[in-house]
Amino acid sequence: MTLRTSRPARAGQYFALLGYLVFLAFPFLWLISTAFKPPRELGSLHPTWIPKNPTLDNFRQAFEEQPLLQAAANSLIAALCAALIAVVIATPMAYVMARHRNKLSAAATGWVVISQAFPFVLVIIPLFLILKNLHLINSLVGLVMVYVVWSLPFALWMLVGYVRAVPRELEEAASVDGAGRLRTLVSVTAPLLAPGIVATALFAFITAWNEFFFALVLLKTPEKQTLPVVLTHFLGAEGVADLGPLAAAAFLATLPSLVVFAIIQKRITGGMMAGAVKA
């Protein structure tokens, strides 16, 4: 029996969805508008959505004032390494936790969920002392280690759900056909987990790309700072922002996240469809 939604209720749902989309899109659209406005329009008492005299000077000034390319390269290295390492570690752990359910795996799952509630401030002092003893302060290696540890619980929790979605019957059928454990994992389970692994890696990448607090505390020299930290350099000593270049730099820093989110959406949808067909 199919429940049909009345037209007024459906119209209300679409209206609420539209309002939510406008709420999400407003900051980004205003950021784009600000990035292309000349200084005279930025100081106007009656700002407009569309710049009257759009300019690229804000982008040029942003690159001249701050090492954005170097900062973007640092963020890219840290985010890519953290995402890859986290997925490599989390995938076999997630498989064991999903396939061998016992009190230990249940406790591990509970710890994963609880660890996500820890605030950054709670761990930054012991984390700083540990990295200092390892001589990894002001080092991208140390930052990558922090990102891996911080993103690992979420990656593990996410992959456990994907592993549980793979029917055991497929692995049992492969075993009956004579395939060994390793071959079953490589030939049967891994292809079905591929969309989940990709989605998890992309989420970990976005988390590391946008992370600010750890990078601010652990990286000291400008040559090693990541993009979110460098964006704060557009703020003056008295907290006055150089609004045009800041908006331009922030717009460029946002683009990779948007591209990755678009990829995530396609991969998740493709993985769900593939799983439905194979199941």
Side-chain angles (χ1 to χ4, degrees), residues 138-140 143 214-221 224-226:
N138 196 33
S139 168
L140 286 180
L143 186 65
F214 288 134
L216 176 65
V217 175
L218 299 177
L219 301 176
K220 302 301 180 182
T221 58
K224 296 182 179 180
Q225 289 178 338
T226 58

Side-chain angles (χ1 to χ4, degrees), residues 139-171:
S139 168
L140 286 180
V141 176
L143 186 65
V144 168
M145 292 175 59
V146 173
Y147 286 169
V148 169
V149 173
W150 196 256
S151 62
L152 192 57
F154 177 80
L156 185 60
W157 174 78
M158 191 172 179
L159 284 172
V160 166
Y162 278 102
V163 174
R164 289 177 179 173
V166 177
R168 288 176 176 267
E169 291 77 7
L170 296 177
E171 297 179 356

Side-chain angles (χ1 to χ4, degrees), residues 3-112:
L3 297 177
R4 295 184 179 181
T5 306
S6 62
R7 289 186 178 181
R10 183 174 299 177
Q13 292 174 354
Y14 284 123
F15 181 78
L17 178 60
L18 178 61
Y20 183 65
L21 292 176
V22 171
F23 174 77
L24 292 178
F26 174 79
F28 182 67
L29 294 178
W30 191 258
L31 177 67
I32 297 176
S33 175
T34 304
F36 289 94
K37 286 182 178 179
R40 180 177 298 180
E41 292 187 37
L42 290 174
S44 175
L45 297 177
H46 303 284
T48 58
W49 272 97
I50 302 176
K52 298 178 181 179
N53 299 295
T55 179
L56 295 176
D57 288 343
N58 291 327
F59 293 89
R60 177 186 56 78
Q61 187 177 350
F63 279 99
E64 290 178 352
E65 291 182 1
Q66 300 297 335
L68 294 180
L69 292 179
Q70 180 63 50
N74 294 338
S75 292
L76 183 62
I77 293 173
L80 280 177
C81 293
L84 292 176
I85 296 173
V87 168
V88 169
I89 297 175
T91 301
M93 293 175 61
Y95 183 84
V96 173
M97 291 175 61
R99 287 292 186 255
H100 302 282
R101 300 187 184 183
N102 48 42
K103 292 183 179 180
L104 182 60
S105 63
T109 303
W111 173 251
V112 166

Side-chain angles (χ1 to χ4, degrees), residues 259-272:
V259 173
V260 169
F261 266 119
I263 297 174
I264 285 177
Q265 182 181 7
K266 292 181 180 180
R267 294 299 301 181
I268 291 178
T269 304
M272 291 175 62

Side-chain angles (χ1 to χ4, degrees), residues 191-212:
L192 295 176
L193 287 179
I197 293 175
V198 171
T200 303
L202 292 177
F203 270 114
F205 174 87
I206 292 175
T207 301
W209 176 269
N210 295 325
E211 199 281 323
F212 169 75

